[in-house]
Amino acid sequence: MRILGINAIFHDPAAALIVDGEIVAAAEEERFSRRKHGHPAVPFAAWELPEQAARWCLDSAGLSPADLDAVGYSYDPALVDHAADGRWEELRTTYAERAPLFLRTALPGLDPGIVRFVRHHVAHAASGALCGPFPDSAVLVADGRGESTSYLAGEYRDGKLEELASQRLPHSLGLCYEELTEHLGFHRSSDEYKVMALASYGTPRFLPTLRERIYATDEGGFHTERLEWTEFAPRSAGELTGEHADLAASVQQRLEEVLLELAGWLHRRTGQPVLTLAGGVALNCVANTRLYAESPFEQIWVQPAAGDAGTALGAAAAVATELGERPAPMRGADLGRGFSDEECRRALDIAALRYERPADVAVAAAEALAADKIVAWFSGRAEYGPRALGHRSLLAHPGRKANLERLNDVKGREQFRPVAPMVLAHRAADLFGRGPMPSPYMLFVHDVAPEWQDRIPAVTHVDGTARIQTVAEADEPLLARLLSEFEARTGLPVVVNTSLNTAGRPMVDSPRDVLECFGASPIDVLVLGPYLVRRS
């Protein structure tokens, strides 16, 4: 059975493909169009489909649109509350209703009759529970909004979802955080992770007031008042002050507290030992760690593409399961495009760059990193979701504190933002604590052991934590060898890993993308497949 999944309605348009129960491809449109988040998160952009991503998914499997058995679209216009967003909601709904016809135009040969609408939060839930490693689990989805709700809590057993609670709009934890993001001068539905980083610099002194206005209810839902943010701090026009950091810290902590209450309620209802998380709020790795450390659940699994891009995979998984073919668990997040050695070599030749093919590119990269070079690392298939996991990464020495500022300068980012470490899985517990192990998708923060904080200052955030990625040799042999070779030269089993892009641009996806980034940025070394380029 061949099932295509599509996300298009809000932001991060994406496509995913499941063939005979195997997740074979998934990619975000931004990686092809080079427009961050694919299109603006506004109703009049909802007609824009992930055309290039969908075509690539089909091409990668040798399929045509006519070969598909079904298409899952991660929004059901029949469930929309038109009072939620005034006149604009009607426009978004019209686009969604006509999506089957738009898809027929974008993918000639596709039968619009095979398109199935999947409720937005059900698609999120399915992306985690049906595509994750646990056959049965409790599931919690929180984001800005779906058709008429902003939250779902339930339980998956034998591939079937029992919904136990939801929250109707306008109450929304995700929208509350988005509004704060905008108030602080960042882009909403995009820069929420910056608020999470900023929160570490503040004191949650507004928490008492927020506890009166944002709280969980007895029915497994929550209440969020529309806040006047200037009551706490002035709107930022670019300069951030201690007041802004305190407001970020207060909202971040209140979000964590409410999520803990919701998780406690869900555990009491289900008794499940495992909690699966999805939805944009599940990208808040600080909150995820508190759920792991303080909730009654024994294990927590977060969909790596927890934001709206992941609903493409979830819609496909939900439809496949409904048709009697539950997908096998995803084996990793490397579901995007990959390029052959010959394609990489040809890109280098066209760019007229001098390059070499070392006997072991991992050894050569480790030597460069040990010499304090910044390395652009392009290897294998691209990641699905917002995290760079060693396939499209920018690497550096973690023992040099100045490398945090250096990398933020390379990427054109705010200096308060941290960078993350990748660490050998068998060494992780020696350096990091509190969060789950293994942690291969960079979706939790871990406390850095006190004796290691001065040894790896570039990846130790101001609050003593790090958002780690554990690397197991069985899963990522090339990355593991890189880390081992770096440790042999420095005594550090850790390398800085941040996304290979510059501010406002998507992660690089193709050889051309990475060559453009390398040419425009002060990166010392480029690893492109088996080839290595040194800046002269």
Side-chain angles (χ1 to χ4, degrees):
M1 200 174 300
R2 298 165 293 272
I3 314 293
L4 182 68
I6 295 289
N7 170 61
I9 202 71
F10 291 118
H11 50 83
D12 297 303
L17 182 65
I18 297 175
V19 178
D20 297 332
E22 291 290 330
I23 301 166
V24 299
E28 293 149 89
E29 186 72 4
E30 68 166 24
R31 308 297 174 86
F32 300 83
S33 69
R34 310 308 299 157
R35 295 169 63 198
K36 186 75 170 174
H37 298 297
H39 64 60
V42 292
F44 42 83
W47 66 271
E48 296 187 52
L49 294 167
E51 297 182 26
Q52 296 179 77
R55 283 197 292 266
W56 171 77
C57 284
L58 294 172
D59 290 345
S60 70
L63 299 175
S64 72
D67 295 323
L68 291 169
D69 295 294
V71 176
Y73 183 89
S74 62
Y75 189 82
D76 187 346
L79 303 176
V80 168
D81 178 1
H82 288 278
D85 198 19
R87 59 196 176 101
W88 294 117
E89 196 61 44
E90 185 173 343
L91 179 61
R92 181 187 282 123
T93 302
T94 298
Y95 285 148
E97 288 171 341
R98 297 181 182 179
L101 301 178
F102 291 156
L103 283 165
R104 181 179 63 182
T105 301
L107 303 171
L110 184 143
D111 176 4
I114 67 171
V115 178
R116 299 182 179 216
F117 294 116
V118 178
R119 182 178 156 201
H120 185 72
H121 290 126
V122 169
H124 269 308
S127 76
L130 294 180
C131 302
F134 300 100
D136 299 326
S137 72
V139 61
L140 190 155
V141 173
D143 64 1
R145 58 160 298 181
E147 296 85 355
S148 58
T149 60
S150 67
Y151 170 75
L152 180 151
E155 179 180 19
Y156 267 96
R157 286 188 182 274
D158 300 321
K160 295 182 179 179
L161 171 64
E162 179 186 4
E163 184 175 341
L164 300 172
S166 64
Q167 181 58 60
R168 293 192 67 83
L169 295 168
H171 304 284
S172 170
L173 296 172
L175 289 180
C176 178
Y177 212 92
E178 283 186 26
E179 289 161 3
L180 172 63
T181 300
E182 188 172 53
H183 183 74
L184 294 176
F186 305 125
H187 293 292
R188 64 184 300 160
S189 297
S190 172
D191 292 347
E192 283 70 28
Y193 57 92
K194 297 181 184 181
V195 177
M196 183 179 67
L198 181 64
S200 299
Y201 292 85
T203 300
R205 59 190 176 95
F206 303 118
L207 202 51
T209 301
L210 293 176
R211 284 173 174 155
E212 295 175 358
R213 302 183 186 181
I214 304 170
Y215 51 85
T217 63
D218 294 337
E219 298 79 30
F222 49 82
H223 172 92
T224 58
E225 284 187 23
R226 186 69 181 266
L227 297 170
E228 180 52 62
W229 297 108
T230 54
E231 177 184 342
F232 307 99
R235 185 181 182 90
S236 173
E239 174 132 4
L240 294 168
T241 67
E243 281 183 293
H244 297 118
D246 290 348
L247 179 55
S250 302
V251 174
Q252 173 66 32
Q253 185 163 328
R254 188 57 189 145
L255 172 68
E256 296 164 16
E257 291 174 347
V258 172
L259 288 174
L260 279 166
E261 291 186 64
L262 296 173
W265 180 91
L266 183 56
H267 186 269
R268 289 191 296 274
R269 288 293 305 270
T270 66
Q272 284 279 3
V274 177
L275 174 63
T276 296
L277 298 176
V281 173
L283 292 172
N284 191 305
C285 54
V286 177
N288 293 347
T289 294
R290 284 202 66 184
L291 286 170
Y292 173 79
E294 301 175 36
S295 81
F297 290 98
E298 298 171 17
Q299 297 187 74
I300 293 181
W301 192 80
V302 185
Q303 163 57 238
D308 274 9
T311 64
L313 177 58
V319 171
T321 303
E322 185 179 321
L323 295 175
E325 195 169 72
R326 179 176 178 170
M330 57 193 296
R331 293 189 291 268
D334 52 336
L335 294 166
R337 282 193 291 181
F339 296 85
S340 68
D341 293 354
E342 173 59 24
E343 288 173 307
C344 293
R345 185 194 63 76
R346 178 163 173 73
L348 290 166
D349 287 340
I350 291 172
L353 288 173
R354 295 178 61 182
Y355 60 90
E356 60 190 272
R357 183 167 185 162
D360 189 330
V361 74
V363 171
E367 289 173 349
L369 290 166
D372 204 24
K373 304 296 185 184
I374 292 178
V375 176
W377 179 269
F378 184 106
S379 177
R381 295 179 66 176
E383 299 91 342
Y384 179 48
R387 306 286 191 244
L389 302 170
H391 294 249
R392 305 290 187 271
S393 290
L394 200 57
L395 309 179
H397 194 310
R400 310 277 193 265
K401 187 175 182 179
N403 278 344
L404 172 58
E405 182 176 346
R406 188 177 168 200
L407 283 167
N408 280 333
D409 283 343
V410 168
K411 291 167 64 72
R413 306 193 321 176
E414 300 87 352
Q415 288 297 341
F416 66 81
R417 290 171 57 187
V419 291
M422 61 167 64
V423 57
L424 288 165
H426 68 274
R427 293 296 313 279
D430 299 333
L431 286 73
F432 305 104
R434 190 163 64 102
M437 298 286 187
S439 186
Y441 299 125
M442 215 181 272
L443 290 164
F444 298 86
V445 298
H446 292 66
D447 294 332
V448 183
E451 65 271 21
W452 279 93
Q453 291 186 13
D454 290 337
R455 296 186 66 186
I456 51 172
V459 295
T460 302
H461 195 33
V462 66
D463 60 359
T465 66
R467 190 185 68 198
I468 76 170
Q469 175 196 355
T470 56
V471 177
E473 184 174 5
D475 299 325
E476 296 280 3
L478 187 64
L479 277 181
R481 192 160 69 252
L482 166 68
L483 286 163
S484 295
E485 293 290 341
F486 182 77
E487 182 179 20
R489 289 160 175 77
T490 65
L492 304 175
V494 170
V495 166
V496 177
N497 172 25
T498 188
S499 57
L500 183 45
N501 65 325
T502 53
R505 299 281 288 166
M507 268 193 283
V508 303
D509 199 77
S510 70
R512 184 183 183 92
D513 298 337
V514 74
L515 287 169
E516 289 177 352
C517 185
F518 181 67
S521 306
I523 297 168
D524 300 306
V525 174
L526 166 63
V527 172
L528 179 54
Y531 302 103
L532 186 141
V533 181
R534 303 180 192 274
R535 189 176 296 281
S536 56

